[in-house]
Amino acid sequence: MSWTDDRIEALKHHWMEGKSASQIASLLGDGLSRNAVIGKVHRLGLAGRAKSPGLASSRPRPSAPSPAAHRVAAPRLAPVAPRMTRGATALAIAPEVLTDAEPEAFESVVVPMSLRVTIVELKEAMCRWPLGDPASSEFRYCGSAAASGPYCAYHGSLAYQPAHERRRERDRLRRTAVR
């Protein structure tokens, strides 16, 4: 099937009359499909069509409910189960209940005074936490008394975090990023 000038003019005429793509395909015949009509309409860049007068009169309009029906109706309860999403749900967004954000607990952070020692001044019982840029001449180590291991108590708490605290922090950051 090829689109001749006559068929294109007939398509434009039927489209402007408000006929559906299925109706136009059956009128033009010759094995023409609805999708072929839709594709040609888009390629021609035809604007929206007029509303078909037959469609508006064939559908009865729903009547407005009486005011008494609103007074008698029982109050609606919130749905107990979440709404089901049908079809392809890989990219579906799960609805979340919005609640007031609880203020995060203020954690007092006390950074101990460091001795800021160079590598030459660093002793075995001193904290080896690096301070600054290693390429800079101002680079130093903490130098405070090491509690256990290579770091003082403060820098040890930064370096060694229990797995459950890291997981909790990661989950909290993900929740705030989603909102």
Side-chain angles (χ1 to χ4, degrees):
M1 188 240 107
S2 63
W3 286 100
T4 62
D5 291 337
D6 294 335
R7 291 182 79 142
I8 293 173
E9 288 304 315
L11 167 71
K12 289 179 182 178
H13 175 73
H14 292 307
W15 185 258
M16 291 305 164
E17 285 180 349
K19 293 189 171 119
S20 70
S22 299
Q23 292 171 332
I24 296 171
S26 66
L27 288 172
L28 295 178
D30 200 26
L32 190 64
S33 69
R34 170 185 165 273
N35 287 338
V37 170
I38 292 171
K40 191 63 175 177
V41 165
H42 286 287
R43 286 190 299 277
L44 292 172
L46 297 179
R49 58 184 177 212
K51 297 289 183 192
S52 176
L55 292 176
S57 62
S58 65
R59 290 188 203 144
R61 295 191 75 158
S63 61
S66 65
H70 287 291
R71 282 184 254 129
V72 178
R76 287 187 169 180
L77 299 175
V80 176
R83 288 181 41 188
M84 289 182 56
T85 304
R86 297 186 188 273
T89 59
L91 300 176
I93 299 172
E96 291 186 22
V97 178
L98 296 177
T99 59
D100 291 337
E102 295 178 12
E104 293 183 23
F106 178 73
E107 186 175 324
S108 175
V109 178
V110 178
V111 179
M113 292 295 294
S114 64
L115 299 176
R116 298 187 51 84
V117 296
T118 64
I119 194 158
V120 175
E121 301 166 337
L122 195 60
K123 304 282 189 249
E124 186 176 335
M126 292 181 149
C127 178
R128 291 173 176 78
W129 188 265
L131 302 171
D133 182 14
S136 167
S137 62
E138 297 297 316
F139 179 71
R140 301 285 191 267
Y141 292 93
C142 173
S144 299
S148 63
Y151 304 119
C152 64
Y154 174 72
H155 290 124
S157 68
L158 293 178
Y160 305 114
Q161 296 178 0
H164 67 279
E165 287 182 21
R166 286 193 310 252
R167 206 172 299 124
R168 186 179 325 139
E169 180 67 18
R170 182 189 65 218
D171 293 344
R172 185 187 64 80
L173 290 174
R174 284 183 182 167
R175 282 192 303 268
T176 58
V178 171
R179 289 182 186 168

